Amino acid sequence: MQSTDLGNKESGKIWHRKPNPAARDGIIVNIIHSTSDYLPKVSRFLNVAFDSSGDCLIAGDHQGNIYVFDLYTNRFNIVQRTAQACTALAFNLRRRSEFLVALADYSIKCFDTVTKELVSWMRGHESSVFAISVHASGRYAITTSSDTAQLWDLDTFQRKRKLNIRQSVGIQKVFFLPLSNTILSCFKDNSIFAWECDTLFCKYQLPAPPESSSVLYKVFAVTRDGRILAAGGKSNHLHLWCLEAKQLFRIIQMPAKVRAIRHLEFLPDSFDAGSHQVLGVLSQDGIMRFINIQTCKLLFEIGSLDEGISSSVISPHGRYVASIMENGSLNIYSVQALTQEINKPPPPLVKVIEDLPKSKLNSSDLKMKVTSGRVRRPTKSRESKTQTRILKQDLTGNFENKENELSDGLNKKRLQILLKGYGEYPTKYRMFIWRSLLQLPENHTAFSSLVDKGVHVAFLNLQKKYPIKSRKLLRVLQRTLSALAHWSAIFSDTPYLPLLAFPFVKLFQNNQLICFEVVATLIINWCQHWFEYFPNPPINILSMIENVLAFHDKELLQHFVDHDITSQLYAWPLLETVFSEVLTREEWLKLFDNVFSNHPSFLLMAVVAYNICSRAPLLNCNLKDDFEYFFHHRNNLDITVVIREVYHLADTTPADIHPESMLDVFVALTKGQYPVFNQYPKFIVDYQTQERERIRNDELDYLRERQTVEDMQAEVDQQKAEDEAWYQKQELLRKAEETRREILFREEEKMLEQRQRLAAVKRELKRKEIHLQDAARRRFQKQQQDQREMELRRLDDEIERKKLTRNQEAAAKEMREDTDAYRRKVELEEHTFHKLLETNQAQSLKAQKLIEENLANAEQACIDADWRFQALHKQRCDAFQRNECYQEVARLLRNNRRKEIEVLNAMMGAEAEKREEAEEKEFRLRSEKRASALSDASRKWFLEQELSDALDHAKNPHCEVSLNRRKLDWDTTEQDLTEKVRNLRQRLTAQARSRCQTPHLLTT
């Protein structure tokens, strides 16, 4: 189990080597957060939540630190420090980088994991929020406290609804059903309601559980398809509800040691379409048991009595389980590792056991039964009918020598046998075998401390000397060499270290720890005594190679000597590059399969074997450049032959010159901390370090002085450039001044020409203006003359109109006089008539006061009514006539405006006709006057006659008998007279209108 302490780091790796969780506990990594104060203490994690992808989780501790753990990229980051404990978390909002956190001050905040900024701050709860449920769309969220539940709109971060309840009924949990629009509210009285999210309409209520298995529900879990609800509480009974049928369909009884259920959660499966069958049950003992709700079998469990679980969350895809332990740490479990034993196929019925070589068999034996059943453990032979095979021990009485036993269950001798048989290890398992052969300790902490020191100063400019195309490979090489230099100071001065480490860096570039430890193991074991003559090549090692070559191929060595070729040319290039320049990748891997499987002297023998196997081309080389080219480039050589030659040389070389007698056996790196490497002349390295430091300081002084000189030179150059620029500017200004003067001179000449042209234009314009003024004066004079003539014509017309108006006024005056005379005459007649009537009435009243009083009143009323009717009718007729007259006048006025010019032109011609018409009308008027005078005379005579008769009748009292008859005659006469007066008035009015018509037309 790997453990990671976050400490004060704000970011870093979650694990330092590839997780390999065991099936026993399934723990990928254990995460703790300890503070580095005077008294160190552990910050307890309180809440954890996964995002929708399932590969990223967020966790908060009691100090308010909120971390994001990305299991896919193996990174953690601190995203917020709230300075107060968080009570609930939610990390599956619509915006993937945002999360909700409920704090101890009863508020809910939304933060962004990318920008690490506060997005929104929501308030409204009066007690601690212990649950946050987010809708499947990520738009809504429900926050639940002990006294209320509130629905929030995450687009506006405004509260949409609030659930208020009585204090006697507390809330257990309010949450959304997955992939639906339904809210499930669970209360402490075991009542469960389902609500529609949009309308908050109550869809249904689950019935009460049976009394025989009554449990006060405290925890709930729902399958992804929303069909099954699991509920539990302070009991070992677990209730399963079918939400479609709205009934309890199963009660599961947990083991007797389970007294209360603290948490429930279904384990998702990618192939169950949301109808999860595995349910995780966290009980009071801190153990979370996973059961199958259909078969009611216990599948596996996490946690223990010593390391109990406080709360757990399962990722949406069901790969991880994040559990907060009772000690405050955070465990991440692999569901695949936990279910490995459940999902693995049954073991094979038959297994093959291979025999050991015959040379290592002995008479003592053990027996193993091989039957048609499962493979059993080895047992001693007994008489039985079962067919058996015999496995014999070696001479020492054990299967393998202890020194040949490797970690991970491998055996070095068996690997050597396999290697000799096949010539190389399987590609799939080569790295694993190398790690086992080299017995790498995998000291993560020690390696991290070396890496944290940064890039060594000796390898800052590594890319200049070794321009590698891949930046990743260059970075890994630089980091590995820096770690080696920090491990031992000599490696910072070793010029061939990059050549030695490069093939291993290229091979293990994805695992820098293994790369470092492989190179370190190679240096400790296969590079023994290389640094005793530092900084010179290892003369002792080269002498060993030369001695072996002299023993096995004196002719080749003599050829090297004849051409002045030393071991530094034919052996050292192969060693310092570990054959990487002369072999292909496959050949190099095959060679080092054998190097790592044998004694450290095998590498030196490989150098001798390479030279011996290449003796034919080497004997043909006579120039030193040819030898250098040969040992720095690939050659046509079979590596299998070289390896076979190495084993031959190892077996046939005498012990006195054999490198094996001079080199130590393999020693692995120590566990925990790397060993101290000081197998080099320390005084030389220290001297070189001091010299290098002195040279570096001198170089820094030189660079500083050079920088000062360069700055001064730059200032001088700048001043010189400024002076030159000033002179150039002055020259340009002078040239510009001359150019400006020339331009001004030309402009003045142009101005003079333009002025001359302008004077000519002005003279021409003056002449034209005089002509125009003369023309305008003549036109104005003509216009004035026309206006005077028009004014004279207008005055003549006005005089004519005034004459006509005067004539019209005279005629009107005469007509008004006639009318007034007529009116006076009529009034006199009426007065006489009324006087006559009054006289008659007085006589009648006196004569017949008593007899005809009623009849007189009735007649008078009739007369009054007739008179009013006649007056009203007359008024109406007059109004109608005036209206028609006004309309006719308006029409005539409109026609007159259109035809005024025609009328004026025709006025003179019509004047004679109108005079004749006026004379004719005057004649008619005189005739009418004569007729009126005759009528007046006759009416006057009649009235006088009647008056005299009335007087005579008044004198004769005996005429009362004919009173009624005379009354009727009077009435008839009165009506005739009234009709005649009316006709006369109409004729007079018509004549007056006809006389006034022509003057009105002329004056309008």
Side-chain angles (χ1 to χ4, degrees), residues 343-553:
N343 298 329
K344 75 176 184 178
L349 299 178
V350 178
K351 291 185 177 180
V352 178
I353 300 176
E354 296 181 355
D355 293 334
L356 292 175
K358 294 182 179 180
S359 60
K360 296 188 179 181
L361 292 178
N362 199 357
S363 58
S364 60
D365 55 21
L366 291 175
K367 296 181 180 178
M368 177 178 285
K369 296 181 181 180
V370 182
T371 64
S372 60
R374 297 181 182 270
V375 179
R376 301 178 182 178
R377 295 181 178 273
T379 58
K380 292 189 176 181
S381 62
R382 296 177 182 176
E383 294 181 358
S384 177
K385 294 182 181 181
T386 306
Q387 183 180 2
T388 62
R389 293 185 64 181
I390 299 174
L391 300 177
K392 296 185 179 181
Q393 295 176 335
D394 58 6
L395 297 176
T396 61
N398 296 323
F399 280 104
E400 259 70 39
N401 203 349
K402 288 185 178 180
E403 64 179 8
N404 294 324
E405 290 292 340
L406 303 176
S407 60
D408 302 318
L410 298 180
N411 185 274
K412 189 173 182 180
K413 290 295 183 181
R414 291 185 178 181
L415 290 175
Q416 288 176 347
I417 294 172
L418 177 64
L419 183 61
K420 288 183 179 180
Y422 292 97
E424 61 179 336
Y425 291 129
T427 305
K428 183 178 180 181
Y429 303 103
R430 176 178 281 119
M431 299 300 106
F432 173 69
I433 295 172
W434 282 15
R435 292 168 62 180
S436 300
L437 288 172
L438 300 178
Q439 302 177 24
L440 302 180
E442 299 186 16
N443 298 328
H444 293 275
T445 306
F447 178 70
S448 297
S449 64
L450 294 175
V451 172
D452 291 342
K453 293 180 180 180
V455 179
H456 197 276
V457 66
F459 304 106
L460 287 175
N461 299 322
L462 184 66
Q463 67 275 8
K464 295 181 180 179
K465 189 175 181 181
Y466 300 98
I468 301 175
K469 185 177 181 180
S470 174
R471 297 186 61 85
K472 176 184 177 183
L473 192 59
L474 176 63
R475 187 167 59 252
V476 175
L477 177 62
Q478 192 177 37
R479 198 171 296 172
T480 304
L481 296 178
S482 299
L484 291 170
H486 291 305
W487 176 43
S488 182
I490 191 173
F491 297 127
S492 62
D493 301 324
T494 306
Y496 57 84
L497 186 63
L499 300 175
L500 181 71
F502 180 74
F504 298 98
V505 170
K506 191 172 183 180
L507 190 63
F508 296 100
Q509 58 181 325
N510 293 325
N511 195 333
Q512 300 177 32
L513 171 65
I514 300 301
C515 177
F516 171 79
E517 293 186 349
V518 168
V519 176
T521 305
L522 177 71
I523 292 174
I524 291 177
N525 293 278
W526 282 270
C527 299
Q528 297 179 38
H529 311 293
W530 280 28
F531 307 98
E532 294 178 359
Y533 295 91
F534 185 84
N536 300 316
I539 300 173
N540 50 350
I541 299 297
L542 298 179
S543 299
M544 295 180 194
I545 295 174
E546 188 171 354
N547 293 334
V548 175
L549 181 60
F551 179 79
H552 290 282
D553 198 338

Side-chain angles (χ1 to χ4, degrees), residues 809 811-821 823:
E809 289 177 355
K813 184 177 180 181
E814 183 179 358
M815 185 180 68
R816 282 195 299 273
E817 291 176 355
D818 295 340
T819 305
D820 291 340
R823 187 173 62 253

Side-chain angles (χ1 to χ4, degrees), residues 214-256:
S214 178
V215 180
L216 289 178
Y217 295 151
K218 292 183 177 297
V219 289
F220 306 88
V222 183
T223 57
R224 186 172 179 80
D225 58 2
R227 296 181 178 179
I228 298 176
L229 169 68
K234 199 172 182 180
S235 172
N236 64 347
H237 285 186
L238 187 64
H239 289 189
L240 299 180
W241 292 85
C242 179
L243 296 181
E244 291 183 342
K246 304 176 185 59
Q247 63 181 1
L248 181 68
F249 73 93
R250 183 168 299 165
I251 299 176
I252 299 176
Q253 184 175 359
M254 300 297 293

Side-chain angles (χ1 to χ4, degrees), residues 7 12 84 201 212 214 249 294 409 433 555 671 751 862 904 927:
Q84 52 182 328
F201 173 76
S212 59
S214 178
F249 73 93
Q294 298 297 332
I433 295 172
E555 182 183 359
K671 190 77 172 177
M751 186 66 66
C862 183
L904 292 175
S927 299

Side-chain angles (χ1 to χ4, degrees), residues 82 196 216 436 478 483 518 615 649 675 682 689 699 702 750 761 802 827 840 846 851 861 886 907:
T82 59
E196 184 67 29
L216 289 178
S436 300
Q478 192 177 37
V518 168
R615 66 189 313 273
L649 295 177
K682 193 172 185 302
T689 303
E699 186 178 359
Y702 166 73
K750 291 181 181 179
V761 171
K802 286 183 178 181
E827 289 176 356
N840 290 331
K846 288 178 182 181
I851 300 171
Y886 293 157
M907 190 180 298

Side-chain angles (χ1 to χ4, degrees), residues 900-913:
E900 184 177 0
I901 297 174
E902 297 177 0
V903 171
L904 292 175
N905 295 330
M907 190 180 298
M908 298 302 294
E911 185 177 359
E913 297 179 359

